[in-house]
């Protein structure tokens, strides 16, 4: 493994010791990763995609962890509103569009010019799904 993967793996392990992380975050990350691994396994048999190596599976896990972490950090800054509306749509765009850019940088760092997976989309999806971690309470919910 090269140095970038070693740094990413060790940083991913350190993320789990943060107080915002818990069982819900772990379950969300494992669920997203398993879905993505099944997606790429089925795609390799059905569509002729390259078969994912163990290094690619580790990269998928790392990107999912970092995407969920970005979503949780964004959710901590701007919690998900309890009611549906324009604010939720605007908030989604503010987390996904920068996540696509950061994901493109991760894709170049992890897989180079010959990428076989859409790391940038995985990162943005994970950030979006992780951004629902904290939900804002309204005044009526606090006192009822």
């Amino acid at each position: 493994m090269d140095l970038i993967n070693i740094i990413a793996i060790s940083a991913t392990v350190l993320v789990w010791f943060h107080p915002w992380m818990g069982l819900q975050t772990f379950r969300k990350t494992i669920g997203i990763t398993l879905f993505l691994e099944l997606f790429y396994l089925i795609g390799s048999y059905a569509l002729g995609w390259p078969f994912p190596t163990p290094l690619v599976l580790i990269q998928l896990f790392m990107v999912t962890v970092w995407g969920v972490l970005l979503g949780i950090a964004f959710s901590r800054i701007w919690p998900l509103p309890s009611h549906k509306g324009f604010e939720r749509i605007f908030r989604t765009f503010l987390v996904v569009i920068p996540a696509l850019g950061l994901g493109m940088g991760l894709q170049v760092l992890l897989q180079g010019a010959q990428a076989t997976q859409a790391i940038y989309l995985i990162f943005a999806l994970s950030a979006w799904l992780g951004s629902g971690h904290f939900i804002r309470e309204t005044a009526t919910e606090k006192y009822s």
Side-chain angles (χ1 to χ4, degrees):
M1 269 199 274
D2 58 341
L3 183 63
I4 293 172
N5 287 327
I6 293 171
I7 292 170
I9 290 171
S10 59
T12 303
V13 170
L14 290 176
V15 164
W16 296 111
F17 295 109
H18 197 277
W20 293 343
M21 303 298 141
L23 184 61
Q24 178 186 6
T25 306
F26 181 72
R27 289 176 56 197
K28 187 179 295 187
T29 304
I30 293 298
I32 295 169
T33 305
L34 288 177
F35 171 76
L36 292 170
E37 290 174 1
L38 283 174
F39 176 75
Y40 281 112
L41 284 174
I42 291 170
S44 69
Y45 288 115
L47 302 173
W49 296 348
F51 192 79
T53 62
L55 179 62
V56 169
L57 297 178
I58 290 170
Q59 288 173 349
L60 290 176
F61 178 71
M62 288 186 307
V63 168
T64 305
V65 166
W66 284 101
V68 169
L69 176 70
L70 175 70
I72 289 175
F74 183 79
S75 176
R76 184 70 176 155
I77 295 168
W78 188 359
L80 187 67
S82 59
H83 59 282
K84 296 177 184 173
F86 182 71
E87 184 181 4
R88 280 189 177 204
I89 297 169
F90 187 68
R91 186 181 171 280
T92 300
F93 284 122
L94 283 180
V95 72
V96 171
I97 292 173
L100 284 171
L102 291 172
M104 286 180 194
L106 272 175
Q107 179 147 354
V108 170
L109 283 176
L110 292 175
Q111 294 187 342
Q114 303 296 327
T116 56
Q117 285 75 28
I119 296 286
Y120 65 98
L121 291 175
I122 294 168
F123 186 76
L125 174 73
S126 300
W128 175 62
L129 291 173
S131 70
H133 194 73
F134 294 106
I135 299 173
R136 185 182 323 138
E137 295 180 8
T138 59
T140 57
E141 291 176 355
K142 287 182 183 178
Y143 298 111
S144 36

